[in-house]
């Protein structure tokens, strides 16, 4: 997704991850963050595994113009082929409210309780 919103272009991956971390905590979800997958057995493993009453998702967080490594693409393709919910989150997704909606669905709560962003 490419956006012309300067706020999305200026947002760092760390800022995006902090937003997700706060939302996950506020919604009572469980999450695991792979701090540096390059040092593990499975380089390219998604940044986040998030679990709630509504299921489990795998998410890679990138800046607005950041690209996936070949290993990240391989993991994403393998997870999708296995029927798992994998995708990339970018700052434009946060600004559009889609991350908040996905996390609320995962927590099985009404987003209206939290407004547009938890």
């Amino acid at each position: 997704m490419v956006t012309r919103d300067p706020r999305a272009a200026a947002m760092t991956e760390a800022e995006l991850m902090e937003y997700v971390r706060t939302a996950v905590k506020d919604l009572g979800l469980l999450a695991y963050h792979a701090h540096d997958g390059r040092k593990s057995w499975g380089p390219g493993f998604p940044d986040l595994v998030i679990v709630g009453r509504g299921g489990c998702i795998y998410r890679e967080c990138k800046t607005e113009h950041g690209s996936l490594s070949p290993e990240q693409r391989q993991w994403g393709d393998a997870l999708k082929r296995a029927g798992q919910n994998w995708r990339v989150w970018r700052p434009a997704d946060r600004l559009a409210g889609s991350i908040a909606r996905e996390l609320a669905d995962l927590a099985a709560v009404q987003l209206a309780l939290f407004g547009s962003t938890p």
Side-chain angles (χ1 to χ4, degrees):
M1 174 187 299
V2 177
T3 181
R4 295 174 193 255
D5 188 328
R7 296 173 303 160
M11 190 180 301
T12 67
E13 188 173 317
E15 291 169 327
L16 179 61
M17 290 289 288
E18 180 58 24
Y19 166 77
V20 173
R21 187 193 69 76
T22 300
V24 161
K25 180 181 173 194
D26 289 349
L27 290 166
L29 297 166
L30 291 176
Y32 175 76
H33 168 53
H35 180 68
D36 188 350
R38 295 170 297 183
K39 296 179 181 180
S40 70
W41 282 17
F45 189 78
D47 288 328
L48 298 166
V49 179
I50 306 171
V51 179
R53 290 188 297 185
C56 176
I57 62 174
Y58 298 83
R59 293 295 181 267
E60 185 65 41
C61 291
K62 291 288 180 190
T63 62
E64 199 59 27
H65 301 291
S67 60
L68 295 171
S69 70
E71 295 85 4
Q72 289 170 326
R73 287 187 190 286
Q74 183 180 26
W75 268 104
D77 291 343
L79 286 165
K80 288 191 291 187
R81 279 193 310 274
Q84 301 305 304
N85 185 333
W86 175 91
R87 69 182 288 257
V88 177
W89 276 340
R90 297 187 183 273
D93 298 314
R94 185 235 186 268
L95 297 173
S98 60
I99 294 174
R101 286 188 295 275
E102 284 187 57
L103 292 175
D105 287 347
L106 193 59
V109 298
Q110 293 283 330
L111 188 59
L113 295 174
F114 296 98
S116 63
T117 55

